[in-house]
Amino acid sequence: MKKIFLFLSILFILGVTMNSCISEKVAEIVKEPDPDPDPDPSEKKTYKVSTAIELTQFARRTTMGSSQIGLFLYNGNNAVQSNIPLSLTSGGGQIELTTSYTDAYSFGYFPYSSTAFSGAVYSGAVSSQQDQVVTNSSDILHLQASLDAQLLMVSVQSSIISFGSQTARLGFRNVFSLLRFHVTKSADFTGFTNQRVKSFEIYVSNRTDTLTPLSSYKLAGSYTMDLKSVAYSGDFTPDFSSSYASKITGNATTSAIINETDAAIIWAVIPPLNISPDDKLVLRLETEDDAGLISYSSIHTFSDVGLISRNELKPYSIVLTKDNVSSDYEVKSLVDEPANSYVVSEPGIYEISTKTPTGKQIAGGNNATWLWASKAGGGASFEIEDLISNISYASDTIQFRVGSGGGALSEGNVVLALRDAANNILWTWHVWITDKPRDMQYDNNNVFLDRNIGALSAGATTDNFGFVYQWGRKDPFFGSDGSRNETTATLFTVARNNTIVNSTGVSWTDSNVAKWAVQSTPGDTATAKKYPMRFISNNRSLSSNEAADWLSVSIPDLWDDNKKTDTDPCPYGYKVPGKNTLKTLHDAYSDYKAHLSTPSTPVPSIWFYYGNHRYWQYSYSNVVSVWPAAGMRQGRSSFNGNNGAQLLYSGTDADDGKCIYWTSSPIKIGGSTLSGGSHRIYTSGNMLYSEDDYGDNADAYPVRCVKMANP
């Protein structure tokens, strides 16, 4: 008597076309010729099985290489072999048939399970939680392992194998259907950046209530399937229990970042459905950025779906736009408030116009990025994302997000740059991230902000110093942190110690754009605009009767006493204070007037030290405001043998009593040469003085903005 074995070998063929249904799997069982023309019916027989499995692109599986099929052999109603695992590898496998028979038929299923059967009845489940897991970019279009096991394939009955037959075929057919959602965004959806799919829901609703799943549709749950009956009848319908689910949910936190070309792919395994014309297929989608701060939600419906057949793939494409999504964060538009600086006091998404303060559109914009940033408390050990992210430009607006994970707001300052296609800077804006500055009214009826531009505190701290500006320029320079003055050898040390600069991994026109630098001879407004971090000094000596301007040809109306200009650095509704505004403010102060009337008395407490730093204190209607002696940057490159731009009067030496602020008034010095109007608070002996003065336009002083009557 012969010992008979069943042998399996497998050949894989990968399809190259995308079809709307999943390719069938075919197994061919070939009976080896029997040398005995008159065999004994009780003898065992050898069958050689070869399978050709064709897979289309959308049916690829990450687990296919290690999967197995399960094989059943039946003789009439009697099981010859039940649930025999055969590996889907090139090596194949073989089993010994332990029961004699004269003929048999076979059926099988995929993927193999050692525990799912009672006789020939398969017990399985389509999960209602179908998480999407992507471990690397090459897996983005694949069905994932968590879904792969749910895609049951069953073979139909083969031909009856007997001594007279040569071949029998097994056709593996998909029991379930697939949904695939291809999610991208529109090009003009500028606020939607760095977003990934966080979670989703799939269900069927009626046309009027898309929020409620219809319970009559079976989308998931436990089921059984009698494979022996399927092999006879060809009916592949799974029998779901009464505890089925009408909604599929999933998480997809590792999906691709969604943009115009790169899509997030969502797969779902469902049983065959026939959706009524009165109902809709619904996908509810939630996306989130990596910081967990900004999320969007959307509902997408699909009408006239009809029959979703077994073995069918239903592909859907979704484009997220401003009109079909909503967000926890509404875009806070500042487009109608053009300025060169913007106060941001709450986390969220902001939109600003690329217009000048007087409404002139900056032409030629192509992209936007950040240039430099500083943070509350000082130091340069932080990431730009701590302050700002999601910077984008489109349709003459710049959008950005402030706030870190969880919605917390980190205070600081960021300079944004609009660039052309060649990455030349066209204009810059200062984003001032701080608690909302208060309006402070004074005795002369003027209303000022309670802090300098760039200051992150209204109290007597070094965070109160703010930035310094060359007269007539809109771009800030980092001033003092209260730690030191500078020389040529240590030029911009304080700035480098307290700012981060976007000089790595970003394409600039040249490497001199994104760094603190000094130009030792006068320039022009085009240079100032293109190089906003470049301090432009003047090589005129102190012995000259002329002022030192950063411009080779002075321009008297860069700032103006009566109106806001395109280079005014103040936020919307405020401007650089005009001529005499600061002097009348102090002259009207009762504590200062009392001091002037008794000059022999010591300097009053309104001019005080806090730590090593001087402050002027002003009180009106029980509200206190302080004006720090915040230092300056020297505008003459010939000053004390230095190259200009060095930080002076930072509160660490005998000159810490100099408290100088710009006004918008141009002053003629030495004929036609302009100097900027300033206001100086200083001491001489026991006397405290507050007086209008002038300063070299090339100098850089702080600015305290005054409120405009008509912005």
Side-chain angles (χ1 to χ4, degrees), residues 660-683:
I660 309 173
Y661 285 78
W662 278 129
T663 74
S664 58
S665 303
I667 299 173
K668 288 184 179 181
I669 300 294
S672 63
T673 306
L674 281 177
S675 180
S678 65
H679 190 82
R680 185 163 63 119
I681 306 169
Y682 66 100
T683 57

Side-chain angles (χ1 to χ4, degrees), residues 502-538:
N502 195 9
S503 58
T504 304
V506 173
S507 174
W508 293 99
T509 304
D510 62 67
S511 60
N512 294 316
V513 171
K515 70 178 183 181
W516 297 111
V518 61
Q519 177 176 309
S520 60
T521 56
D524 53 29
T525 56
T527 301
K529 182 174 64 175
K530 185 175 181 179
Y531 297 96
M533 296 180 69
R534 179 181 294 181
F535 192 97
I536 304 174
S537 61
N538 190 303

Side-chain angles (χ1 to χ4, degrees), residues 300-433:
H300 309 274
T301 61
F302 308 93
S303 303
D304 303 318
V305 175
L307 179 65
I308 303 176
S309 303
R310 175 195 63 77
N311 201 47
E312 182 178 7
L313 169 73
K314 280 282 191 179
Y316 296 97
S317 293
I318 296 169
V319 179
L320 302 179
T321 70
K322 292 180 180 179
D323 298 325
N324 64 13
V325 303
S326 60
S327 175
D328 294 336
Y329 286 93
E330 296 297 329
V331 175
K332 299 174 175 63
S333 179
L334 304 175
V335 168
D336 295 330
E337 301 178 0
N340 288 318
S341 64
Y342 291 91
V343 176
V344 172
S345 302
E346 297 178 350
I349 301 173
Y350 289 82
E351 183 178 60
I352 65 174
S353 169
T354 54
K355 292 181 179 179
T356 70
T358 64
K360 296 172 185 163
Q361 179 62 55
I362 305 299
N366 177 266
N367 64 87
T369 188
W370 66 281
L371 181 60
W372 66 270
S374 64
K375 193 176 181 183
S381 298
F382 65 95
E383 301 295 330
I384 189 61
E385 289 79 14
D386 296 339
L387 297 175
I388 197 168
S389 61
N390 296 45
I391 301 166
S392 61
Y393 168 76
S395 304
D396 298 328
T397 60
I398 295 175
Q399 281 196 356
F400 55 87
R401 188 201 77 188
V402 296
S404 56
L409 185 74
S410 295
E411 294 190 341
N413 294 276
V414 181
V415 173
L416 300 179
L418 176 67
R419 307 189 298 179
D420 63 15
N423 293 329
N424 296 296
I425 290 181
L426 301 175
W427 204 262
T428 54
W429 290 267
H430 166 208
V431 180
W432 186 5
I433 308 170

Side-chain angles (χ1 to χ4, degrees), residues 22-62:
I22 302 171
S23 296
E24 306 289 0
K25 280 62 183 171
V26 178
E28 183 178 25
I29 300 180
V30 182
K31 174 180 177 294
E32 291 184 347
D34 195 318
D36 187 351
D38 187 21
D40 184 340
S42 65
E43 287 184 350
K44 299 179 181 178
K45 303 168 179 60
T46 300
Y47 293 93
K48 184 176 182 179
V49 180
S50 73
T51 61
I53 300 180
E54 180 178 329
L55 303 174
T56 57
Q57 181 179 352
F58 55 80
R60 288 180 294 176
R61 286 176 167 72
T62 57

Side-chain angles (χ1 to χ4, degrees), residues 4-18:
I4 307 299
F5 293 90
L6 184 68
F7 181 76
L8 177 70
S9 65
I10 291 95
L11 170 67
F12 286 99
I13 305 172
L14 180 62
V16 296
T17 60
M18 178 75 80

